[in-house]
Amino acid sequence: MANVLTPQGEDFPRWYQDVVAKAQLAENGPARGSQVIRPTGFALWERMTAEMDARIKDTGTENASFPLLIPESYFRREADHVEGFAPEVWMVTQGGGKDLEEKLAIRPTSETIIGEYMAKWVNSYRDLPLLLNQWCNVMRYEMRTRLFLRSSEFLWQEGHTVHESYEDAHAFTLRILHDVYADFMENVLALPVLRGIKTEAERFAGALNTFACDALMRDGKALQMGTSHELGQKFAKAFDIQFQGKDGKQAHGWTTSWGTSTRMIGGLIMGHGDDAGLRVPPNLAPVQVSVMIVKDSDEVRAAARKLYDELKADGLRVKLDDRGDIAFGRRAVDAELKGYPVRIELGPRDLKNGEATVVSRVEGSKQSVPLGMIAEAVAAALAGAQQQLWDEALGFREAHTVDVASVDEAVEAARTGYARMPWDACGVEGEARAGQSAVTVRLLQREDGSVPDSLDESGLIAYLARQY
Amino acid sequence: MANVLTPQGEDFPRWYQDVVAKAQLAENGPARGSQVIRPTGFALWERMTAEMDARIKDTGTENASFPLLIPESYFRREADHVEGFAPEVWMVTQGGGKDLEEKLAIRPTSETIIGEYMAKWVNSYRDLPLLLNQWCNVMRYEMRTRLFLRSSEFLWQEGHTVHESYEDAHAFTLRILHDVYADFMENVLALPVLRGIKTEAERFAGALNTFACDALMRDGKALQMGTSHELGQKFAKAFDIQFQGKDGKQAHGWTTSWGTSTRMIGGLIMGHGDDAGLRVPPNLAPVQVSVMIVKDSDEVRAAARKLYDELKADGLRVKLDDRGDIAFGRRAVDAELKGYPVRIELGPRDLKNGEATVVSRVEGSKQSVPLGMIAEAVAAALAGAQQQLWDEALGFREAHTVDVASVDEAVEAARTGYARMPWDACGVEGEARAGQSAVTVRLLQREDGSVPDSLDESGLIAYLARQY
């Protein structure tokens, strides 16, 4: 096939740009760092939101919608929060042709405005836990932007909850990390993720603790895929979220917040893509199977339509490509670019033999299959593709994770992936030193790979890497 | 039951406010006219978006996402459009702590920015039709706001398409009006809608023709529920959307745009609600059946849970209300307020008799049903409720539509509903005169009730009313 993309090995960032453009996923918008997400890219996001939303609702969380614009004064109420976000804010100063009395920030995140309303809605322990989520757009002013990965506007979900106790809030923060985020990323996106706690330098502005899922991209750089924050009572005190407890006394609530965004599309591209384009895991894929006519004829069209209808009736997500006026080769390259897991190619010769050709994008296999057995062949190809993407990504991560003993070694190892070392041997000072070489501590785990409850635990293990 | 709401007959606007507040649908946000949509209100919107999205996709339209911020210069390219929207725009002037070089408008609607990108994507007749839609937030500066009905920020879908010819664009505009909008409003929302063409005074800024769906509220005022605009070649020329036709010649495309918003929630409330609260049609209802324990006991709880599981397994949207610590009466009032179509009340006495009480919110009926026959009783109650809401709304509209011969009579008749008269007898001058009494021409139809192709047709009939 023609080389439509810069090979990954030649220039990975260029390959990424090429894929995003040629698979028609997204383009730059007119305002600095904004993005236009095209139908092929947006279909990925729709599938992500559907899968994530079901998992979020399974935790008892309900969706709501809060305003885009937040009075500047709200930010000032939590000191660390304003310090973290003030430089990133886009500001509305005019409305209806006049200057506004108070400037309004376009939400960079909504802890403040949601905190304001939670304070009204929470009165008694009976109102708790209060579990809210919203799917929306947010904006952060960015100097250097890259589509999906770092954009001034992005789409995301942000969950915000209030709990009766530290224990409840803590458990919920981790439930989101494991049962919603990691479960989705591993079982749907087929991306193995490290789960752990962020260092003080990397935690969310205003949080007590930030927990994260982190994935390794095929260029050896790490991508933060999602974060879940334990906010302690800091926002509850700043916004006066109080409730009457079972003991009749007033107490401040314990809040959490957690988010994942269109950035995950970037993770999908760079975690699985190859020199021919995207490789979309079947459990996510908006198009799991593309039924393609090779050459146009009434018989081929009819047979393709029949296959399409049958596979659709089986509950698969199927696309019918019967565009006879576009050369088959061009359409096949496009299908590879867009990463459809399975293609069924149907031409006059196949049809004469009572067969179709089943092509697996991931396994790279091509087989002639009798028309009556297509459903089984497709099911097997989809299951195989999901497993292979997972195996490859996990194998890649294992092959690109190196145990080291010093920060210098970590910086060296981070050229190709994760460096793993005792946090005691790195520490805040080592973290700052690694940062000078653009290497950051991605997260800390316990020695057995489990997630620490806080930074106070001893014997923690640090993962360092270059990051997106 | 206690009178938790101001009766409709006493003060309709106050009744509306009460319902929105007490059913916990929405609250005012901090910025002028912004709104917080609470979970109960947002669940209605989620069901609306699901039903609408399926219908939109059935037309071949794909979802995408365009930026929130639009350079001010884009608006200036279409003269009528800028004139219509300039006074309503919220403006971003600062980002990252600095003044921006060019002011950015928060989108009040996205014809301009989407037009800019369509011009890039459309090159040949093979690229047409280009059918796009986005679900997003928009903002318009408003002086007088009311939750859901007129808010500075609202959620909506906006469709934008490009076609090869006037005929294609025109047919698509009407397809959206009938097959997407009216079909959803009538078959899901159970609200009969008038369909017709808007007068020149009422058409979208920059459109050739605007078509609309209009519904009558229970106070006799009309609500515009959705609009579909034929934009001709005006935006295609302003944004240079050109394609090479089958004849090899360059031509400008023909565009359309169409939108419906969270305003439909207001229509749902005022089109069906009564003095006890919302009445949600079963085809929309996020909660079709609420299974409620009357008194707390292990047996009652277990039986309620069993019913809940069974109904859920039948594919119904069910809520289990087993909050034994809140008085039954209070929970029943809340269920009425939120308009759940069917309640199943289960107490110790019912259980002893092997029965449960099935209550229909709309029919106002209460019947004891053997536990083994609940599914049938619920199905019948849901079907009956959907039909009755439709019949009531249609009957109300018919009873509140009066044929008149003059503008003065129309203004008088509009006190209680629609006034219908020949457009020739009203005309642009009559329209302006009626406007002085806050009565507007909602839309024009042909004499047989069908939708005119343009304002040039003769013998059209005008519907006048007071409006939201």
Side-chain angles (χ1 to χ4, degrees):
Chain A
M1 282 194 187
N3 229 6
V4 291
L5 304 174
T6 307
Q8 289 188 339
E10 192 180 306
D11 184 342
F12 195 88
R14 184 72 177 272
W15 167 84
Y16 180 79
Q17 276 186 358
D18 284 359
V19 173
V20 170
K22 300 219 168 130
Q24 304 188 325
L25 302 178
E27 293 190 13
N28 289 308
R32 184 192 199 95
S34 67
Q35 59 193 3
V36 174
I37 307 180
R38 302 183 67 176
T40 307
F42 198 79
L44 295 169
W45 181 237
E46 279 186 306
R47 284 284 307 135
M48 289 183 182
T49 58
E51 293 282 343
M52 289 275 298
D53 195 64
R55 285 168 175 77
I56 289 169
K57 289 196 168 113
D58 278 346
T59 69
T61 301
E62 295 183 300
N63 286 334
S65 171
F66 290 85
L68 174 72
L69 302 184
I70 304 180
E72 202 185 11
S73 57
Y74 282 26
F75 282 93
R76 297 213 198 89
R77 293 199 219 156
E78 213 296 314
D80 292 335
H81 192 67
V82 66
E83 195 184 314
F85 280 103
E88 297 188 8
V89 163
W90 294 75
M91 209 56 96
V92 179
T93 62
Q94 299 173 359
K98 287 186 196 147
D99 287 339
L100 301 175
E101 285 176 26
E102 179 177 7
K103 288 188 202 173
L104 298 167
I106 296 183
R107 62 182 163 217
T109 180
S110 303
E111 279 75 9
T112 58
I113 191 163
I114 294 182
E116 176 81 4
Y117 284 85
M118 284 175 153
K120 294 186 193 183
W121 300 333
V122 170
N123 295 299
S124 147
Y125 69 90
R126 285 193 191 84
D127 302 322
L128 299 179
L130 176 59
L131 311 175
L132 299 176
N133 179 64
Q134 70 175 348
W135 292 96
C136 64
N137 53 348
V138 290
M139 290 197 72
R140 298 176 186 178
Y141 195 86
E142 301 279 357
M143 295 305 289
R144 295 172 146 267
T145 62
R146 201 178 305 192
L147 290 167
F148 295 126
L149 297 171
R150 190 168 295 277
S151 47
S152 58
E153 181 185 4
F154 52 92
L155 305 181
W156 80 344
Q157 61 66 218
E158 50 178 324
H160 298 269
T161 69
V162 192
H163 304 262
E164 215 178 321
S165 66
Y166 165 78
E167 289 74 19
D168 279 1
H170 181 72
F172 199 80
T173 310
L174 291 176
R175 182 173 176 192
I176 293 295
L177 189 79
H178 294 301
D179 298 354
V180 178
Y181 290 175
D183 184 75
F184 166 73
M185 292 164 193
E186 302 201 333
N187 295 317
V188 179
L189 293 187
L191 285 172
V193 289
L194 294 177
R195 314 170 194 186
I197 190 168
K198 294 295 236 181
T199 63
E200 199 179 333
E202 299 280 335
R203 80 161 65 114
F204 179 75
L208 205 64
N209 286 307
T210 289
F211 301 92
C213 292
D214 206 77
L216 198 60
M217 304 293 99
R218 285 162 71 98
D219 62 348
K221 286 170 81 172
L223 181 72
Q224 182 171 292
M225 296 279 288
T227 47
S228 186
H229 315 293
E230 194 173 23
L231 304 175
Q233 294 183 305
K234 293 167 87 172
F235 284 86
K237 285 180 178 165
F239 288 88
D240 205 24
I241 305 171
Q242 288 199 50
F243 67 97
Q244 188 174 46
K246 290 188 187 103
D247 58 4
K249 288 184 190 153
Q250 286 294 115
H252 283 102
W254 297 79
T255 69
T256 82
S257 70
W258 27 281
T260 52
S261 75
T262 35
R263 190 166 220 230
M264 289 193 292
I265 301 174
L268 172 78
I269 299 169
M270 296 192 299
H272 292 310
D274 66 14
D275 286 350
L278 275 179
R279 296 193 304 171
V280 184
N283 290 355
L284 181 79
V287 176
Q288 295 174 307
V289 185
S290 175
V291 179
M292 306 177 71
I293 61 166
V294 176
K295 270 193 177 169
D296 206 349
S297 81
D298 288 348
E299 292 81 35
V300 168
R301 270 176 180 275
R305 164 66 68 174
K306 187 157 172 278
L307 269 181
Y308 167 81
D309 288 340
E310 285 169 6
L311 292 168
K312 217 172 160 183
D314 283 352
L316 295 177
R317 296 184 289 274
V318 198
K319 183 189 175 81
L320 176 63
D321 179 358
D322 58 358
R323 296 170 296 170
D325 58 345
I326 300 179
F328 172 72
R330 209 177 125 198
R331 289 183 286 124
V333 166
D334 189 58
E336 297 261 300
L337 262 172
K338 291 180 177 158
Y340 305 148
V342 171
R343 301 201 298 274
I344 301 178
E345 302 175 353
L346 197 62
R349 204 168 46 194
D350 300 293
L351 202 54
K352 210 196 278 178
N353 298 335
E355 295 178 339
T357 307
V358 175
V359 185
S360 168
R361 170 71 176 84
V362 174
E363 294 172 335
S365 62
K366 243 184 197 219
Q367 48 170 154
S368 291
V369 175
L371 288 176
M373 293 173 66
I374 292 288
E376 292 81 351
V378 166
L382 291 174
Q386 185 76 25
Q387 187 63 45
Q388 185 172 332
L389 284 172
W390 169 264
D391 291 344
E392 281 186 26
L394 186 59
F396 181 86
R397 187 180 79 188
E398 284 169 354
H400 291 79
T401 301
V402 179
D403 285 303
V404 299
S406 73
V407 170
D408 288 345
E409 280 174 41
V411 167
E412 181 58 30
R415 286 173 180 275
T416 54
Y418 286 121
R420 185 167 49 196
M421 69 185 292
W423 174 233
D424 284 345
C426 175
V428 172
E429 190 233 341
E431 186 180 18
R433 195 141 44 81
Q436 290 165 8
S437 307
V439 170
T440 55
V441 177
R442 306 305 303 146
L443 46 77
L444 308 180
Q445 286 183 345
R446 294 191 185 124
E447 238 177 307
D448 64 0
S450 66
V451 178
D453 284 323
S454 80
L455 292 172
D456 297 336
E457 293 188 25
S458 60
L460 297 179
I461 303 297
Y463 280 83
L464 290 86
R466 292 171 302 142
Q467 67 173 8
Y468 276 97
Chain B
M1 285 197 185
N3 229 6
V4 292
L5 304 174
T6 306
Q8 289 188 341
E10 191 180 308
D11 186 341
F12 196 88
R14 184 72 176 273
W15 168 85
Y16 179 79
Q17 276 187 358
D18 284 358
V19 173
V20 170
K22 300 222 167 125
Q24 303 189 324
L25 302 179
E27 292 189 14
N28 289 308
R32 183 192 200 95
S34 67
Q35 60 192 2
V36 173
I37 307 180
R38 301 183 68 175
T40 307
F42 198 79
L44 295 170
W45 182 239
E46 279 185 307
R47 284 284 307 136
M48 289 183 181
T49 58
E51 292 283 343
M52 290 275 298
D53 197 64
R55 285 168 176 76
I56 290 170
K57 288 195 168 114
D58 277 347
T59 68
T61 301
E62 295 182 301
N63 285 334
S65 170
F66 290 85
L68 174 73
L69 302 184
I70 304 180
E72 202 186 11
S73 57
Y74 282 27
F75 282 92
R76 298 214 197 88
R77 294 199 218 156
E78 213 296 314
D80 293 333
H81 192 67
V82 67
E83 197 184 312
F85 281 103
E88 297 189 9
V89 163
W90 293 76
M91 210 56 96
V92 178
T93 62
Q94 300 173 359
K98 287 185 195 147
D99 287 340
L100 301 175
E101 284 176 26
E102 180 178 7
K103 288 187 202 173
L104 298 167
I106 296 183
R107 61 183 163 217
T109 180
S110 303
E111 279 75 8
T112 59
I113 192 163
I114 294 182
E116 175 81 6
Y117 284 85
M118 284 175 153
K120 295 187 192 181
W121 301 333
V122 170
N123 295 298
S124 147
Y125 69 89
R126 285 193 192 84
D127 302 322
L128 299 178
L130 176 59
L131 310 175
L132 298 176
N133 178 63
Q134 71 175 347
W135 291 95
C136 64
N137 53 347
V138 290
M139 290 196 73
R140 297 176 186 179
Y141 195 87
E142 299 280 358
M143 294 306 289
R144 295 171 145 266
T145 61
R146 200 178 306 191
L147 289 166
F148 295 127
L149 297 171
R150 190 168 294 278
S151 48
S152 58
E153 181 184 5
F154 52 92
L155 306 180
W156 79 343
Q157 62 65 220
E158 51 178 323
H160 298 269
T161 69
V162 192
H163 304 262
E164 216 177 320
S165 65
Y166 164 79
E167 289 73 19
D168 279 2
H170 181 73
F172 198 80
T173 309
L174 292 176
R175 183 174 175 190
I176 293 295
L177 189 78
H178 294 301
D179 298 354
V180 177
Y181 291 175
D183 183 75
F184 167 73
M185 292 165 194
E186 302 201 332
N187 295 318
V188 179
L189 293 187
L191 285 172
V193 289
L194 295 177
R195 315 170 193 186
I197 190 168
K198 295 295 237 182
T199 63
E200 198 179 334
E202 299 280 334
R203 81 161 65 114
F204 178 76
L208 204 64
N209 286 306
T210 289
F211 302 92
C213 291
D214 207 76
L216 198 61
M217 304 293 99
R218 285 162 71 99
D219 62 347
K221 286 170 81 172
L223 181 72
Q224 182 171 290
M225 295 280 287
T227 46
S228 186
H229 315 293
E230 192 172 25
L231 304 175
Q233 293 185 306
K234 293 167 88 172
F235 284 86
K237 285 181 177 164
F239 289 89
D240 205 24
I241 305 172
Q242 288 200 51
F243 67 98
Q244 188 173 48
K246 289 189 187 103
D247 59 4
K249 288 185 190 151
Q250 287 294 114
H252 283 103
W254 297 77
T255 69
T256 83
S257 69
W258 27 281
T260 54
S261 75
T262 35
R263 190 166 220 230
M264 288 193 293
I265 301 175
L268 172 78
I269 299 169
M270 296 192 299
H272 291 310
D274 65 15
D275 285 349
L278 275 179
R279 298 193 303 172
V280 184
N283 290 356
L284 180 80
V287 176
Q288 295 174 308
V289 185
S290 175
V291 178
M292 306 177 70
I293 61 166
V294 176
K295 270 194 179 169
D296 207 349
S297 80
D298 287 349
E299 291 81 33
V300 169
R301 271 177 180 275
R305 163 67 67 175
K306 189 158 170 279
L307 270 180
Y308 167 81
D309 288 340
E310 285 168 5
L311 293 168
K312 217 172 162 184
D314 282 353
L316 295 178
R317 295 184 289 274
V318 198
K319 181 188 176 82
L320 176 63
D321 179 356
D322 58 358
R323 295 170 296 168
D325 58 346
I326 300 179
F328 173 72
R330 208 175 126 199
R331 289 183 286 125
V333 167
D334 190 58
E336 297 262 300
L337 262 172
K338 290 179 177 158
Y340 305 148
V342 171
R343 302 201 298 274
I344 302 178
E345 302 175 352
L346 197 61
R349 202 168 47 192
D350 300 294
L351 201 55
K352 210 196 279 179
N353 299 335
E355 296 177 340
T357 306
V358 175
V359 184
S360 168
R361 170 73 176 84
V362 174
E363 294 172 336
S365 62
K366 243 185 196 216
Q367 49 170 157
S368 290
V369 177
L371 288 176
M373 295 173 65
I374 293 286
E376 292 80 353
V378 166
L382 291 174
Q386 185 77 25
Q387 187 63 43
Q388 187 172 331
L389 285 173
W390 170 264
D391 290 344
E392 281 186 26
L394 186 60
F396 182 87
R397 187 179 80 188
E398 284 169 355
H400 290 79
T401 301
V402 180
D403 284 302
V404 299
S406 74
V407 170
D408 288 344
E409 280 174 44
V411 167
E412 180 59 30
R415 287 173 179 274
T416 54
Y418 287 121
R420 185 168 48 196
M421 69 185 292
W423 174 232
D424 284 344
C426 174
V428 172
E429 189 233 344
E431 186 180 17
R433 195 142 44 83
Q436 289 165 8
S437 308
V439 170
T440 55
V441 177
R442 307 304 302 147
L443 44 77
L444 308 179
Q445 287 183 344
R446 294 192 185 123
E447 238 177 306
D448 64 0
S450 66
V451 178
D453 285 322
S454 79
L455 293 172
D456 297 336
E457 293 188 24
S458 60
L460 297 180
I461 304 296
Y463 280 83
L464 289 86
R466 292 172 302 143
Q467 67 174 11
Y468 276 96

